[in-house]
């Protein structure tokens, strides 16, 4: 469908062709919208100024109404902006939590607020459901860094060595793998194979961090996250010098010298849990920017220092696009049947390991 300005007359006409007129949202901040969304604004008041709420609230109400009409569930990654994470998501989490919840979803439609590989994983685990992503251009530099043919070449170079594949990959790559992992279970997955050597793709830095936690020899690939690779040890040292009390916690996609400067390393959910458990007075989350806003909502006594690196792919997902997704049931995610079976098996092996 050619794209038209959301809320315009042309958009309303198109929406009325697929929904009864009474369900096509008006998208203005009326007293009714203010009343119905007041409890949600309370949740985000620490991170969204009151002057911005009237832009978000009509979309929040419309999305929540349409989720019921479409029997849809919204799965949102921890990097979503606070109005998505707190006001329209049914499930939030890191890649592993979202994959697990996708496997349990009993709605007819899954709207994946995250990047394309996450939506593909949901589709693998729910072949009979409609999986939508609000913007299919939401990619990932790690997923782009490797192809199925590259994995076949690695297997030829290292015969018999099992392949552990980070979920931040395409279904083609997963299909060539023995098992998947996420940053929250990577060490466990590597050790569960009982092998002396494993190939771990595609994130070089995650693999190097896992190598510091295990005796299994790890062969890796040169993929990097374009967001985490930009952090430097020097900038973290500068933060510590100016504020010696600050706690620094880093995602394992960061370069090794950045991880060396941190007090804790873990997946996005591991980082959230660390803040909950330790209640630091000041913390620096070395990861995507929106995480700090989302954790700040739950941690009123902690001050967040923000070196802001945004993931341009995650930031493609917005409230207007989620609404468009639910109205026009787009953009539907499909997986080539030739790779779906083996790719699903690699994801399921990981999920079953965690039960
Ligand atoms: P998590 O699994 O830790 O949420 O990481 C996903 C991701 O894309 C981080 O950049
Ligand atoms: Fe990919 Fe990095 Fe964005 Fe995560 S933050 S989706 S790893 S590019």
């Amino acid at each position: 469908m050619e794209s038209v300005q959301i809320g315009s007359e042309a958009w309303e006409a198109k929406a009325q062709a697929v929904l009864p007129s009474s369900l096509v949202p008006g998208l203005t901040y009326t007293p009714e919208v203010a009343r119905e969304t007041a409890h949600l604004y309370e949740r985000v008041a620490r991170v969204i100024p009151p002057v911005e709420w009237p832009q978000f609230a009509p979309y929040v109400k419309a999305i929540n109404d349409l989720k019921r009409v479409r029997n849809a569930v919204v799965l949102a990654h921890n990097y979503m902006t606070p109005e998505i994470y707190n006001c329209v998501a049914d499930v939030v989490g890191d890649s592993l939590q979202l994959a697990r919840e996708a496997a349990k979803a009993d709605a007819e439609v899954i709207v994946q607020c995250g990047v394309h590989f996450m939506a593909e994983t949901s589709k693998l685990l729910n072949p009979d459901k409609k999986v939508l992503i609000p913007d299919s251009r939401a990619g990932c530099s790690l997923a782009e860094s490797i192809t199925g043919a590259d994995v076949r070449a690695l297997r030829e170079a290292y015969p018999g060595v099992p392949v552990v594949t980070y979920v931040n990959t395409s279904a083609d790559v997963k299909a060539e793998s023995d098992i998947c992992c996420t940053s929250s279970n990577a060490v466990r997955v590597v050790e569960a194979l009982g092998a002396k050597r494993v190939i771990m793709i595609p994130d070089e830095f995650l693999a190097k961090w896992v190598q510091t936690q295990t005796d299994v020899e790890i062969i890796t690939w040169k993929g990097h996250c374009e967001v985490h690779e930009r952090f430097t040890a020097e900038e973290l040292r500068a933060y510590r010098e100016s504020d010696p009390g600050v706690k620094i916690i880093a995602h394992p996609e960061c370069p090794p010298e950045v991880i060396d400067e941190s007090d804790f390393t873990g997946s996005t959910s591991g980082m959230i849990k660390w803040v909950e458990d330790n209640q630091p007075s000041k913390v620096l989350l070395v990861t995507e920017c929106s995480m700090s806003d989302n954790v700040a909502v739950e941690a009123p006594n902690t001050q967040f220092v923000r070196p802001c690196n945004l993931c341009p792919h995650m930031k493609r997902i917005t409230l207007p696009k989620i609404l468009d997704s639910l109205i026009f049931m787009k953009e539907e995610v499909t997986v080539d049947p030739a790779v779906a079976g083996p790719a699903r098996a690699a994801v399921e092996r990981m999920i079953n390991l965690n039960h």
Side-chain angles (χ1 to χ4, degrees):
M1 192 189 86
E2 107 206 42
S3 80
V4 291
Q5 177 71 35
I6 297 174
S8 66
E9 272 181 33
W11 176 86
E12 260 182 42
K14 281 182 189 283
Q16 280 170 7
V18 293
L19 275 178
S21 327
S22 60
L23 294 177
V24 176
L27 301 180
T28 40
Y29 189 58
T30 60
E32 187 204 350
V33 170
R35 206 173 39 249
E36 285 196 29
T37 58
H39 65 294
L40 294 169
Y41 184 63
E42 254 174 57
R43 293 210 63 196
V44 290
R46 292 189 66 230
V47 290
I48 297 181
V51 53
E52 286 180 19
W53 185 242
Q55 292 161 34
F56 294 135
Y59 287 97
V60 166
K61 174 170 160 33
I63 290 166
N64 286 328
D65 289 347
L66 269 172
K67 280 194 308 193
R68 287 187 282 276
V69 174
R70 296 296 198 198
N71 188 13
V73 66
V74 171
L75 306 186
H77 186 261
N78 291 329
Y79 292 163
M80 289 294 106
T81 47
E83 68 281 5
I84 295 175
Y85 184 92
N86 292 284
C87 303
V88 301
D90 298 293
V91 175
V92 294
D94 65 10
S95 308
L96 179 62
Q97 290 166 322
L98 295 182
R100 279 203 186 125
E101 291 303 323
K104 290 190 242 156
D106 62 3
E108 283 166 57
V109 177
I110 295 173
V111 181
Q112 191 86 33
C113 295
V115 292
H116 194 264
F117 76 78
M118 295 176 176
E120 225 178 31
T121 305
S122 290
K123 183 65 185 177
L124 288 172
L125 297 170
N126 291 278
D128 300 329
K129 291 186 182 147
K130 211 180 255 300
V131 175
L132 306 175
I133 184 161
D135 189 330
S136 63
R137 295 168 302 170
C140 170
S141 63
L142 281 168
E144 299 288 303
S145 73
I146 191 160
T147 64
D150 291 326
V151 188
R152 288 193 291 278
L154 276 169
R155 280 203 190 273
E156 268 180 38
Y158 300 98
V161 180
V163 177
V164 177
T165 293
Y166 196 29
V167 285
N168 296 39
T169 45
S170 65
D172 282 3
V173 168
K174 290 184 175 80
E176 300 290 340
S177 313
D178 293 285
I179 187 165
C180 285
C181 75
T182 71
S183 55
S184 61
N185 62 14
V187 177
R188 220 174 126 206
V189 169
V190 162
E191 297 203 327
L193 295 173
K196 284 205 173 76
R197 284 214 293 182
V198 303
I199 297 168
M200 188 172 181
I201 52 169
D203 187 350
E204 182 188 16
F205 297 151
L206 174 68
K208 284 193 166 160
W209 176 72
V210 172
Q211 187 66 87
T212 66
Q213 313 288 308
T214 180
D215 291 332
V216 178
E217 185 196 335
I218 297 183
I219 298 156
T220 186
W221 186 251
K222 283 273 182 215
H224 295 152
C225 162
E226 68 187 81
V227 178
H228 291 89
E229 73 175 350
R230 293 209 304 270
F231 292 106
T232 66
E234 203 182 1
E235 71 179 311
L236 298 190
R237 280 195 293 272
Y239 277 110
R240 261 205 218 282
E241 257 167 48
S242 67
D243 194 345
V246 70
K247 294 292 177 198
I248 297 183
I249 62 178
H251 195 276
E253 289 170 9
C254 292
E257 61 279 11
V258 166
I259 291 178
D260 287 347
E261 289 294 330
S262 64
D263 298 300
F264 172 77
T265 301
S267 72
T268 56
S269 291
M271 295 168 107
I272 294 172
K273 185 165 183 319
W274 192 93
V275 174
E276 275 168 13
D277 291 350
N278 293 279
Q279 305 265 323
S281 55
K282 206 179 245 193
V283 74
L284 191 164
L285 305 185
V286 192
T287 191
E288 211 268 353
C289 239
S290 295
M291 265 275 291
S292 295
D293 285 336
N294 294 332
V295 189
V297 165
E298 307 285 348
N301 302 322
T302 297
Q303 193 189 331
F304 290 80
V305 182
R306 295 162 203 245
C308 209
N309 282 355
L310 284 171
C311 173
H313 311 291
M314 291 278 183
K315 297 293 98 104
R316 283 189 184 276
I317 310 300
T318 61
L319 285 178
K321 288 185 198 165
I322 299 170
L323 178 63
D324 238 20
S325 231
L326 281 163
I327 292 178
F328 299 105
M329 303 303 276
K330 64 172 195 174
E331 302 178 35
E332 191 168 357
V333 176
T334 54
V335 180
D336 177 355
V339 297
R344 182 179 311 119
V347 176
E348 281 177 347
R349 265 179 227 124
M350 166 187 80
I351 290 178
N352 293 338
L353 208 64
N354 279 277
H355 280 315

